[in-house]
Amino acid sequence: MTIRALIAEDEPILAATLAATLGKLWPGLAIVAISPNGIDAVAQALALRPDVLFLDIKMPGQSGLEAAEELAEKWDAAVPFPEVVFVTAYDEYALAAFEQAAADYVLKPVNEARLGKTIERLRQRLANRSGDN
């Protein structure tokens, strides 16, 4: 099964760097959308139903935390809710991120070794979810 991910990041260079790093570290991952803000991320996630969301926290229009909250309210209960990873330069949001049941919290600039650990955590959570462990 192909794991599908959505990236929400308002800085195009950071979005492209994250996508490239994910592609290198997790070759089977399909990036189905890159959203420039939280509002677009919500719309894209509801339409595409990705397995994983990589959400920047500070974005124009709607933060990643607000986007995750809105998605939780609007998500179809028949479909597993995506694993959420918050990617941000601000460590003071970590507690709020985990209150949103985040799978992980990665600080910018994204470190490859740290992202590798996040990928392992995501793979384990996704395997447990589908019973493939």
Side-chain angles (χ1 to χ4, degrees):
M1 174 181 98
T2 300
I3 301 298
R4 301 162 69 245
L6 178 146
I7 295 172
E9 169 61 67
D10 61 317
E11 298 286 339
I13 292 169
L14 295 177
T17 301
L18 178 58
T21 306
L22 284 167
K24 177 180 170 186
L25 298 176
W26 195 350
L29 183 71
I31 306 292
V32 295
I34 296 179
S35 297
N37 58 59
I39 294 164
D40 185 66
V42 169
Q44 294 279 10
L46 290 172
L48 300 170
R49 302 198 187 286
D51 303 294
V52 182
L53 301 172
F54 290 91
L55 302 177
D56 183 15
I57 289 187
K58 283 202 163 187
M59 293 184 287
Q62 186 178 43
S63 75
L65 292 168
E66 291 164 339
E69 204 171 293
E70 183 177 343
L71 280 169
E73 291 167 8
K74 294 182 174 178
W75 200 258
D76 179 354
V79 179
F81 193 75
E83 295 294 336
V84 179
V85 176
F86 290 104
V87 184
T88 183
Y90 306 94
D91 62 2
E92 69 264 24
Y93 294 106
L95 183 59
F98 285 109
E99 285 172 353
Q100 290 286 342
D104 210 345
Y105 186 92
V106 180
L107 287 175
K108 294 179 197 172
V110 174
N111 170 295
E112 260 190 44
R114 177 67 180 84
L115 190 59
K117 289 179 180 164
T118 296
I119 290 168
E120 284 308 309
R121 181 173 291 139
L122 288 168
R123 284 181 160 159
Q124 186 62 51
R125 288 175 72 128
L126 290 164
N128 289 345
R129 171 191 288 186
S130 62
D132 296 343
N133 44 1

